[in-house]
């Protein structure tokens, strides 16, 4: 599926996509592309629905540090692939 931004920079998302993923998205610019990630109305509830009690008892600061570290590694790996 492709879409084109209008003169005001808006991109049309088909009804099926909006119905499945919602109307709010986080835009993430990566070295080689831009990605849209749906944002739930209640992000915490959405995470709990996905992972169940897998995060129970885990330190929030530790989870944040781990997530940031993993994201940095993935971005670095993507940059390495581009440079290769």
């Amino acid at each position: 599926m492709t879409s084109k931004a209008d003169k005001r920079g808006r991109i049309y998302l088909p009804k099926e996509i909006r119905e499945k993923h919602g109307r709010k998205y986080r835009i993430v610019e990566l070295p080689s592309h831009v990605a849209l990630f749906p944002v739930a109305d209640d992000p915490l509830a959405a995470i709990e629905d996905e992972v169940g009690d897998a995060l129970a008892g885990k330190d929030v600061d530790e989870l944040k540090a781990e997530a940031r570290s993993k994201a940095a590694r993935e971005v670095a790996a993507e940059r390495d692939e581009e440079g290769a």
Side-chain angles (χ1 to χ4, degrees):
M1 167 187 330
T2 61
S3 187
K4 181 178 171 184
D6 67 12
K7 291 179 182 181
R8 294 181 64 190
R10 297 175 296 198
I11 297 174
Y12 170 79
L13 294 176
K15 181 179 179 182
E16 299 81 28
I17 299 292
R18 294 189 313 269
E19 287 177 345
K20 183 176 180 182
H21 298 287
R23 299 174 53 95
K24 187 175 181 182
Y25 293 82
R26 174 169 290 281
I27 301 168
V28 179
E29 184 177 3
L30 299 167
S32 64
H33 61 279
V34 174
L36 297 176
F37 293 95
V39 176
D41 290 333
D42 184 352
L44 242 102
I47 290 171
E48 288 173 347
D49 287 346
E50 289 296 320
V51 300
D53 62 355
L55 302 177
K58 302 244 179 165
D59 179 63
V60 173
D61 291 330
E62 191 176 309
L63 290 170
K64 285 181 187 178
E66 184 179 320
R68 287 184 177 125
S69 176
K70 182 177 179 183
R73 287 192 309 271
E74 289 175 1
V75 168
E78 189 170 317
R79 284 183 180 149
D80 289 346
E81 287 177 11
E82 275 187 357

